[in-house]
Amino acid sequence: AVLLLVQMKCARVELVSITCAAAVSACEKVGQWAPGLRTLIEMASDRVQLNTITYNAAVSTCEKGGEWDQALWLLVQMAF
């Protein structure tokens, strides 16, 4: 899923929040919290709109990976 996002960026396809959230959720399904978190961070740098859905997907990904400190960091980021 993350590779697909990279290919979309290379093809200059505009990334939207729901597409990126789906990629983060796919990372959760396969137990890959780090690529999921990296996807969220790259979204922000690419100026993709971060919303509750995208943050929730990333928090859930970190939680499933046992990365509670990262999940809490994301919750703090949501407040800003």
Side-chain angles (χ1 to χ4, degrees), residues 14-67:
E14 182 180 358
L15 299 180
V16 293
S17 181
I18 194 70
T19 306
C20 295
V24 173
S25 291
C27 291
E28 173 190 359
K29 302 277 189 267
V30 295
Q32 297 294 315
W33 70 270
L37 182 58
R38 188 171 40 252
T39 298
L40 182 86
I41 292 168
E42 288 176 8
M43 286 172 54
S45 68
D46 290 342
R47 300 178 195 256
V48 174
Q49 178 74 32
L50 299 180
N51 59 26
T52 304
I53 296 169
T54 52
Y55 273 109
N56 187 46
V59 168
S60 184
T61 300
C62 290
E63 178 267 326
K64 291 284 186 341
E67 295 295 323

